[in-house]
Amino acid sequence: MGRRKSGEAVSGWVCLDKPYDLTSTQAVGRVRRLFNAQKAGHAGTLDPLATGILPIALGEATKTVSFMMDAGKTYRFTIAWGRTTTTLDREGETSAASDVRPTRAQIEAALPAFIGEIDQVPPVFSAIKVDGERAYDLARAGEAVELASRRVVIHDARVTGAPDADHVEIEIDCGKGVYVRALVRDLAERLGACGHVSALRRTRVGPFTEARAITLENLEDLGHKAGLLEALLPVETALDDIPELAVTAEDAFRLKQGRPIVLVPRQVDDLRSRLTAGTRTVSVLAGGSLVALCEMRMGRLEPARVFHL
């Protein structure tokens, strides 16, 4: 007999409002312990110095994490002009200084160059691996680190505030892999200025928004009141963009056994009309409960991930 997993078989998503100075891994660990969950993971790392949306998957929801990795994100951040730092944020040592203070109009005129598909070199202080080592570990050891540029997408960028000459507040909508610190580095260089990120907050990851977020403090308070499940979002929350199909209990049983089911022509036509170009993934439910994620091929649904909820 296999060893029984420790913890409870709790499944769902927590839209955590991650606090400042806490790593994503630490946040996942604290949420997992609160729920006493058997499994936990997160969708999209958030720097310790950043706050905001960190979607945490528990139990069967971990099977849907991969669908969140490509989800659109929104960041709100503040640039402090006057100095560039080694880490490109307020924690680093000053590496360059300047008296240049770009105006709001100059910043707004420069931002369009960073909208769309752009090449971006990640910050040296990042978790990217170089010859098996984390770039930030090499940088802290004083070694020279060269990272290749990556193709990323920024859908929109806008100035949301300029409280004084030394600071500007910007919000961006972007795809995966965008580094805000790298964007600030490149924007400052384009403006002939020195600047770094003084505050950073993620306000959205796909369907996970600030309106659905909960803090660790509130989660702990719910735990004391035995109301933790109130903060748990359904497993299928991460599958908002995937078309759903309701099936019979008999078909659900077949899928859970790993066997495909045959669709009638009407179902095929309906799903094809709702699938986005280049995708074949369908979310299958029975009795309102998620059964499986399937791939549609030749008029059949073949189970790719089966859920036990």
Side-chain angles (χ1 to χ4, degrees):
M1 291 179 64
R3 188 173 62 182
R4 185 179 178 183
K5 294 180 181 178
S6 61
E8 302 292 332
V10 57
S11 294
W13 283 92
V14 174
C15 183
L16 182 70
D17 188 338
K18 189 191 82 66
Y20 175 83
D21 207 20
L22 191 72
T23 69
S24 295
T25 300
Q26 289 170 333
V28 170
R30 288 179 63 173
V31 171
R32 180 179 182 176
R33 286 192 292 274
L34 280 171
F35 282 88
N36 190 28
Q38 292 177 351
K39 294 186 295 182
H42 67 78
T45 301
L46 202 56
D47 287 345
L49 302 183
T51 65
I53 305 303
L54 180 67
I56 296 178
L58 301 177
E60 292 292 279
T62 57
K63 296 177 180 178
T64 66
V65 166
S66 61
F67 291 90
M68 291 307 304
M69 302 313 289
D70 293 333
K73 301 173 178 65
T74 300
Y75 292 94
R76 188 169 62 238
F77 55 95
T78 301
I79 302 175
W81 302 114
R83 69 185 185 103
T84 300
T85 68
T86 52
T87 58
L88 303 178
D89 58 35
R90 68 185 187 187
E91 295 295 306
E93 298 178 1
T94 300
S95 57
S98 170
D99 291 331
V100 176
R101 299 294 188 270
T103 65
R104 178 169 183 155
Q106 290 172 326
I107 298 164
E108 289 177 334
L111 280 177
F114 298 94
I115 296 175
E117 285 194 18
I118 63 171
D119 291 315
Q120 186 183 73
V121 178
V124 170
F125 281 84
S126 63
I128 293 172
K129 286 193 174 182
V130 179
D131 297 327
E133 300 286 338
R134 297 290 185 185
Y136 55 65
D137 287 331
L138 297 173
R140 285 170 185 153
E143 296 188 32
V145 180
E146 289 190 13
L147 299 175
S149 66
R150 298 181 171 193
R151 200 74 170 164
V152 298
V153 177
I154 297 178
H155 302 291
D156 192 22
R158 51 205 171 266
V159 175
T160 57
D164 53 54
D166 293 325
H167 299 87
V168 66
E169 297 163 355
I170 295 175
E171 188 174 65
I172 65 169
D173 300 317
C174 62
K176 67 176 181 178
V178 171
Y179 283 91
V180 170
R181 287 176 294 139
L183 172 62
V184 170
R185 174 199 64 202
D186 298 341
L187 177 62
E189 182 179 341
R190 188 177 187 89
L191 291 165
C194 288
H196 63 274
V197 177
S198 62
L200 173 61
R201 180 170 177 79
R202 186 161 66 190
T203 60
R204 180 182 67 91
V205 178
F208 298 96
T209 62
E210 288 182 300
R212 304 175 105 169
I214 187 168
T215 64
L216 273 173
E217 290 77 10
N218 285 342
L219 271 179
E220 290 167 351
D221 187 50
L222 286 174
H224 295 150
K225 299 175 181 176
L228 268 177
L229 294 183
E230 296 175 13
L232 206 58
L233 299 172
V235 171
E236 53 267 32
T237 303
L239 308 175
D240 273 6
D241 295 333
I242 298 175
E244 296 180 352
L245 177 69
V247 299
T248 64
E250 182 181 352
D251 280 343
F253 180 75
R254 289 178 63 88
L255 290 172
K256 286 190 174 184
Q257 288 185 317
R259 295 186 292 161
I261 61 173
V262 178
L263 301 173
V264 298
R266 173 180 52 78
Q267 290 174 315
V268 173
D269 291 341
D270 176 58
L271 289 173
R272 280 177 178 165
S273 69
R274 291 189 285 141
L275 286 168
T276 56
T279 63
R280 294 182 296 191
T281 304
V282 177
S283 175
V284 177
L285 298 90
S289 181
L290 185 63
V291 172
L293 285 171
C294 300
E295 295 294 305
M296 188 169 78
R297 293 188 176 92
M298 303 296 290
R300 303 195 311 173
L301 286 182
E302 300 177 1
R305 289 185 178 88
V306 174
F307 297 86
H308 303 283
L309 299 173

